[in-house]
Amino acid sequence: NAGVTQTPKFRILKIGQSMTLQCTQDMNHNYMYWYRQDPGMGLKLIYYSVGAGITDKGEVPNGYNVSRSTTEDFPLRLELAAPSQTSVYFCASSPLRQGGNYGYTFGSGTRLTVV
Amino acid sequence: GQQLNQSPQSMFIQEGEDVSMNCTSSSIFNTWLWYKQDPGEGPVLLIALYKAGELTSNGRLTAQFGITRKDSFLNISASIPSDVGIYFCAGHSGGGADGLTFGKGTHLIIQP
């Protein structure tokens, strides 16, 4: 059981470049989330989705876009990379609205550096 | 947005010692969760709390949901080297955005 799979694990971007961070889950969870983690800080919610075709902004959505065409996939798009987007990005999924009895299942993260 | 104050920021302890960390909030949460993050990995759920006053254990870990619903603590008894990592509290208010609000983490370092 793979759980939540994120690719790539590492990436270096130049300012102004674009990229897509991939996230796939095989647990048939309805709810999926993108968080970013900066050094010494907790995780900040970027976007979330409650099901295929439905997405909504979290706390720090500026500079990012998402789509949810299937239950399994929830890619995060950076259109014009900026140094402020240097961070570790985590995708998570959940079977229930409030995290359920098992909380969120997180991927292992994508470490992004923008130079 | 909502904020969680997690303390201490870091802890340096000897193997075998007990550990205690806590989170407080100015607003009420309906769910409290505790996660552990190992280097290079995503957070992993340790304990979930869903009712004010609830006390839950998971092996050497014990966590409580405060009566006021504005705080929670996590205790680790008889620490071992594999307990090293960053511990995060997280809360959910049940309204607005569906995401969790995370504390900034407690970095646990164990000296042999």
Side-chain angles (χ1 to χ4, degrees), chain A:
Chain A
N1 191 347
V4 178
T5 302
Q6 289 183 240
T7 57
K9 287 191 177 297
F10 304 94
R11 184 70 185 270
I12 298 175
L13 278 183
K14 293 184 178 179
I15 295 172
Q17 285 186 322
S18 62
M19 76 163 293
T20 300
L21 283 69
Q22 301 292 344
C23 176
T24 298
Q25 54 96 3
D26 62 359
M27 298 171 286
N28 201 32
H29 287 173
N30 286 331
Y31 298 95
M32 296 188 74
Y33 310 85
W34 274 105
Y35 285 87
R36 61 177 286 172
Q37 183 179 33
D38 299 314
M41 305 295 289
L43 286 79
K44 300 287 188 181
L45 181 65
I46 304 171
Y47 270 95
Y48 68 99
S49 168
V50 300
I54 306 170
T55 62
D56 210 342
K57 297 178 181 178
E59 184 180 356
V60 289
N62 292 343
Y64 307 95
N65 279 302
V66 294
S67 60
R68 185 93 181 272
S69 58
T70 66
T71 299
E72 295 78 19
D73 300 308
F74 191 39
L76 177 71
R77 178 91 179 154
L78 283 70
E79 292 293 350
L80 291 170
S84 61
Q85 293 177 305
T86 294
S87 189
V88 181
Y89 292 84
F90 288 101
C91 178
S93 71
S94 168
L96 294 172
R97 176 179 290 269
Q98 290 190 2
N101 288 325
Y102 304 101
Y104 292 6
T105 300
F106 282 88
S108 57
T110 294
R111 184 174 296 274
L112 176 66
T113 302
V114 181
V115 296

Side-chain angles (χ1 to χ4, degrees), chain B residues 12-108:
Chain B
F12 295 80
I13 64 168
Q14 300 283 340
E15 183 177 349
E17 287 185 17
D18 296 342
V19 172
S20 183
M21 60 190 77
N22 68 83
C23 268
T24 60
S25 171
S26 58
S27 53
I28 289 173
F29 286 98
N30 294 323
T31 302
W32 283 95
L33 303 161
W34 285 92
Y35 285 86
K36 183 192 178 199
Q37 184 178 27
D38 292 324
E41 298 295 328
V44 174
L45 181 68
L46 297 174
I47 292 179
L49 303 159
Y50 297 99
K51 188 184 297 184
E54 180 180 355
L55 183 71
T56 298
S57 293
N58 178 7
R60 294 179 295 107
L61 278 61
T62 301
Q64 185 159 31
F65 191 144
I67 289 292
T68 65
R69 294 198 284 161
K70 292 182 178 181
D71 63 316
S72 177
F73 72 74
L74 174 70
N75 288 340
I76 305 173
S77 63
S79 58
I80 59 177
S82 61
D83 291 335
V84 167
I86 303 176
Y87 292 79
F88 291 98
C89 62
H92 192 277
S93 61
D98 273 351
L100 297 174
T101 299
F102 282 83
K104 293 183 179 181
T106 295
H107 194 176
L108 180 62

